[in-house]
């Protein structure tokens, strides 16, 4: 801390030399208590500043890491959404194809049933043919019923029990 300008008084040259001489003897003797406490305070503040710089650097690194994680997660999310959208479109197309295929099969069955009914009605022996068709159909239904019953008994009942 420097001296203020204009603090010298006129006519006090001898006192100034003594004061200067005594001040140099204090400096040679070592730092004063105030200087030591100021040096300690300065060292503490420098350490605090360094610690704050490290905290700022650590926070900056964490922030950068989090931004990278957000970017990576966003990219993965967008990629997954594209994948799901593509799979959904494919499944919808597959279902639409199955619906069309099933409708064509139903139409073909209806046409063949209509032809069979028309043939049965046109022929005089249709009564016997009709009974034969009905009996075959009934036998088929009985077989299907027993197959379903067997499947139910073997697979579903043990699961329910």
């Amino acid at each position: 801390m420097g001296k203020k300008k204009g603090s010298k008084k006129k006519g006090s040259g001898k006192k100034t030399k003594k004061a200067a001489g005594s001040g140099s003897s204090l400096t040679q003797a070592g730092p004063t208590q105030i200087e030591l406490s100021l040096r300690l305070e300065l060292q503490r503040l420098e350490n605090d500043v360094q610690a704050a710089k490290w905290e700022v650097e650590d926070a900056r690194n964490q922030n950068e890491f989090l931004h990278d994680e957000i970017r990576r997660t966003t990219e993965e999310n967008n990629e997954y959404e594209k994948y799901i959208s593509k799979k959904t479109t494919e499944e919808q197309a597959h279902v639409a194809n199955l619906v069309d295929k099933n409708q064509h099969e139903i139409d073909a069955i209806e046409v063949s049933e209509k032809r069979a009914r028309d043939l049965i009605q046109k022929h005089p022996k249709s009564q016997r043919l009709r009974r034969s068709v009905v009996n075959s159909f009934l036998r088929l239904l009985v077989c299907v019923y027993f197959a379903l019953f067997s499947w139910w008994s073997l697979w579903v009942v043990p699961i329910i029990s």
Side-chain angles (χ1 to χ4, degrees), residues 35-154:
E35 287 176 338
L36 288 174
S37 77
L38 287 175
R39 285 181 186 169
L40 287 173
E41 180 67 18
L42 177 63
Q43 185 63 37
R44 187 186 62 76
L45 290 174
E46 286 175 347
N47 290 341
D48 289 349
V49 166
Q50 187 61 38
K53 285 181 181 178
W54 289 336
E55 287 179 18
V56 165
E57 185 63 26
D58 187 46
R60 186 175 290 126
N61 289 339
Q62 287 179 358
N63 189 30
E64 185 178 325
F65 171 77
L66 291 174
H67 278 291
D68 288 344
E69 282 296 308
I70 289 171
R71 180 191 48 75
R72 186 185 57 76
T73 303
T74 302
E75 288 174 0
E76 287 176 0
N77 189 32
N78 290 339
E79 185 178 323
Y80 183 71
E81 285 178 358
K82 288 177 186 175
Y83 170 78
I84 291 299
S85 176
K86 181 181 175 185
K87 284 296 180 185
T88 302
T89 304
E90 289 174 358
E91 285 297 318
Q92 289 172 346
H94 182 68
V95 167
N97 287 339
L98 287 176
V99 167
D100 288 345
K101 180 182 173 187
N102 289 342
Q103 187 60 48
H104 289 302
E105 289 177 6
I106 289 171
D107 292 343
I109 290 171
E110 287 175 351
V111 167
S112 65
E113 284 178 353
K114 186 175 187 277
R115 284 184 190 158
R117 273 185 262 129
D118 289 346
L119 282 175
I120 290 172
Q121 289 174 357
K122 289 181 182 177
H123 295 290
K125 298 179 181 178
S126 63
Q127 194 69 349
R128 191 173 37 174
L129 182 59
R130 190 178 307 146
R131 279 190 202 133
S132 174
V133 169
V134 168
N135 285 336
S136 298
F137 183 72
L138 287 174
R139 277 187 244 129
L140 179 63
L141 281 178
V142 168
C143 289
V144 168
Y145 172 76
F146 282 116
L148 284 174
F149 181 75
S150 298
W151 175 80
W152 181 268
S153 300
L154 290 173

